[in-house]
Amino acid sequence: MAEKFDAIVVGAGPAGNAAAYTMAKAGLSVLQLERGETPGTKNVQGAILYADALERIIPDFRDDAPLERHVIEQRMWVLDEKSFIGTNYRSDAFNSDQPNRYTILRAPFDKWFSGKVKAAGGLVICETTVTELIQEGKKVIGVRTDREGGDIYADVVILADGVNSLLAKKAGFHGELEAKNVALAVKEIHFLPEEVVQSRFNIKGNEGVVIEIAGAVTHGMVGTAFLYTNKESITLGIGCLLSDFKKAGIAPYTLLEELKAHPAIAPLIAGGEMKEYAAHLIPEGGYKAVPTLYGDGWMIAGDSAGLVNAVHREGSNLAMTSGRLAAETVIALKEMKLPCTAPHLARYKAALDDSFVMKDLRKYKELPDVLHSNPHFFSVYPQLLNRAAHTMLMVDGQDKHSKEKTIRGSFVQQRSLWGLVGDAYRMWRATR
């Protein structure tokens, strides 16, 4: 265990696997450490895989990756207690030979990805916890594990150990995570026959549907819910900021039970057998919450670096892209025979800044603060929108002009004219 590697990767999620595979494929000696029994053991939940990010790492991944369904339809719903108003986009263009998005189950997917790391020549060791980073002064030179004689050395360590990166925190690379920057999501997987899933969502073959949900189901807390179709199951979940959970005193599973009972959701999961339940922390602080990403002998990627686009619910693509860019930074330095010191590893941050990862996070950098300080976006507006739709669609002998006047009056009564203008301006500034 005293052998020295070119690189050590901590974690076997999308970011860690992307980093380890990219370096191993380039011929570097790579050690990947995972505390789970196998990669993916801790991840039973469904997720969305964005093909472009993985295709840049493994171009032929579709040949054998454990994919569930390719997404051909995106629905966006805003709920009140009894109804929803929403929109959807469905296109047969997504039924191409190379679909853009897939639903996956993380346990088999992570295991498959880690298998690719091994096939490329990387050494993967599971059931091993990294307890701390080994440092000479401020330079990271290796890791200390819970195995006997478990000090392992490397030229660089890439941390991809999840949102609550204890190693980075213990080493002083970032402080305690703020509750307002982290969401807690709870998910269930409901198993149904394949033909039932297809019938309920009007799909065929391996086509899939994703539903993003906001509104009354979060009790005014900053958060959203979601539903993904898998081959023979449905992933259903909901998440809100930890700070809001603490303030409201509502348990996450209470929100999930209410979501399952909502008249818009209940028919979609009726008759399903719930076999899996998971809770997961998600970094949603955005651009302002991203910590220092590199230093002497280390880099940090994926959820550990807070790289999640909560607005578009994108995470796996940011994770895989950051893992790949971290790996490519090491490969380039090795080719130029340069040490993995902070000035040279700054190439990683520059590459991220030049990618969609930081550009998208920067675009929405003000949005987390706007949403956190304006909870009516998750309470008042869902009620008003659903009530407006109900008013216009109810045929009761009242003329449409009067109905429109009633709707405008309800908005002004709830938010005031200047309140509506201010809300529109704040959202425009936060998303432009």
Side-chain angles (χ1 to χ4, degrees):
M1 297 293 284
E3 181 181 356
K4 183 178 180 180
F5 294 84
D6 289 324
I8 295 173
V9 178
V10 183
N17 282 328
Y21 174 82
T22 301
M23 290 186 292
K25 189 170 182 292
L28 274 61
S29 61
V30 180
L31 172 65
Q32 185 177 31
L33 298 171
E34 164 61 34
R35 62 186 175 90
E37 184 178 349
T38 61
T41 300
K42 308 186 301 298
N43 297 306
V44 299
Q45 74 272 18
I48 299 294
L49 173 72
Y50 300 91
D52 177 74
L54 182 56
E55 206 166 24
R56 293 170 186 265
I57 301 167
I58 306 177
D60 60 351
F61 77 91
R62 294 177 180 86
D63 292 346
D64 59 352
L67 308 171
E68 291 292 305
R69 294 183 177 275
H70 64 272
V71 179
I72 68 160
E73 182 177 343
Q74 173 82 52
R75 304 177 188 175
M76 289 161 280
W77 290 357
V78 178
L79 277 58
D80 68 2
E81 287 77 7
K82 295 183 178 181
S83 62
F84 75 88
I85 183 171
T87 185
N88 68 297
Y89 178 74
R90 181 179 180 124
S91 174
D92 193 54
F94 288 133
N95 276 318
S96 66
D97 293 335
Q98 296 183 322
N100 181 254
R101 291 188 297 164
Y102 297 87
T103 57
I104 60 171
L105 300 176
R106 282 286 304 277
F109 179 80
D110 288 359
K111 189 174 182 179
W112 167 84
F113 205 165
S114 182
K116 293 295 183 180
V117 175
K118 296 176 185 177
L123 176 60
V124 181
I125 300 180
C126 297
E127 297 184 276
T128 301
T129 299
V130 177
T131 58
E132 62 181 313
L133 300 175
I134 302 174
Q135 295 177 265
E136 279 186 354
K138 292 185 177 181
K139 180 176 175 58
V140 172
I141 60 171
V143 299
R144 179 158 295 138
T145 73
D146 59 354
R147 290 174 175 255
E148 184 177 352
D151 287 3
I152 316 170
Y153 299 91
D155 293 327
V156 66
V157 175
I158 298 177
L159 300 175
D161 51 336
V163 55
N164 191 24
S165 180
L166 298 177
L167 293 173
K169 186 163 54 179
K170 190 173 183 179
F173 299 156
H174 65 68
E176 290 285 345
L177 295 175
E178 294 186 58
K180 69 174 185 177
N181 292 331
V182 183
L184 173 60
V186 289
K187 306 180 182 182
E188 289 181 352
I189 295 185
H190 295 254
F191 285 80
L192 289 161
E194 183 176 358
E195 60 272 16
V196 173
V197 175
Q198 293 174 339
S199 175
R200 287 185 183 174
F201 293 90
N202 189 28
I203 51 180
K204 62 184 185 297
N206 288 325
E207 295 174 342
V209 173
V210 169
I211 307 177
E212 305 288 357
I213 304 162
V217 288
T218 62
H219 288 247
M221 295 186 288
V222 178
T224 56
F226 48 89
L227 184 152
Y228 308 148
T229 57
N230 307 311
K231 285 182 180 178
E232 296 181 327
S233 64
I234 292 173
T235 299
L236 183 67
I238 188 168
C240 295
L241 295 179
L242 285 176
S243 56
D244 283 357
F245 274 129
K246 182 179 180 180
K247 185 187 301 182
I250 300 175
Y253 65 81
T254 300
L255 297 185
L256 185 56
E257 290 300 315
E258 292 178 357
L259 176 65
K260 288 156 56 178
H262 193 279
I265 302 298
L268 300 179
I269 61 173
E273 181 182 4
M274 197 279 283
K275 291 185 178 181
E276 297 181 356
Y277 174 91
H280 184 61
L281 291 176
I282 304 172
E284 295 196 350
Y287 183 80
K288 293 182 179 180
V290 174
T292 301
L293 297 172
Y294 66 94
D296 283 336
W298 64 272
M299 288 179 285
I300 188 167
D303 280 8
S304 303
L307 302 179
V308 169
N309 183 342
V311 179
H312 293 275
R313 298 197 62 79
E314 295 180 17
S316 67
N317 54 334
L318 280 73
M320 290 185 289
T321 300
S322 62
R324 172 177 63 82
L325 293 177
E328 290 174 353
T329 299
V330 177
I331 294 168
L333 295 181
K334 287 291 181 181
E335 290 175 347
M336 294 184 287
K337 302 187 185 313
L338 295 174
C340 292
T341 55
H344 294 137
L345 292 179
R347 295 165 179 261
Y348 168 53
K349 177 61 164 53
L352 273 178
D353 287 342
D354 194 45
S355 73
F356 76 94
V357 175
M358 298 306 287
K359 288 179 181 178
D360 284 353
L361 291 183
R362 192 179 297 112
K363 171 179 169 59
Y364 298 113
K365 66 179 180 179
E366 303 298 338
L367 192 58
D369 290 337
V370 169
L371 295 178
H372 196 73
S373 57
N374 295 274
H376 48 270
F377 285 124
F378 294 89
S379 55
V380 175
Y381 282 111
Q383 296 285 351
L384 290 172
L385 289 171
N386 278 273
R387 192 182 308 160
H390 184 83
T391 299
M392 287 303 297
L393 295 173
M394 175 67 72
V395 179
D396 55 5
Q398 186 180 27
D399 66 278
K400 300 302 187 284
H401 179 76
S402 297
K403 286 177 177 287
E404 292 172 356
K405 185 177 180 180
T406 298
I407 292 171
R408 286 195 298 269
S410 66
F411 274 76
V412 172
Q413 181 181 13
Q414 288 290 323
R415 288 298 300 147
S416 81
L417 180 58
W418 285 113
L420 293 170
V421 172
D423 290 341
Y425 178 71
R426 281 188 286 271
M427 288 302 292
W428 173 77
R429 278 187 58 97
T431 57
R432 63 191 172 97

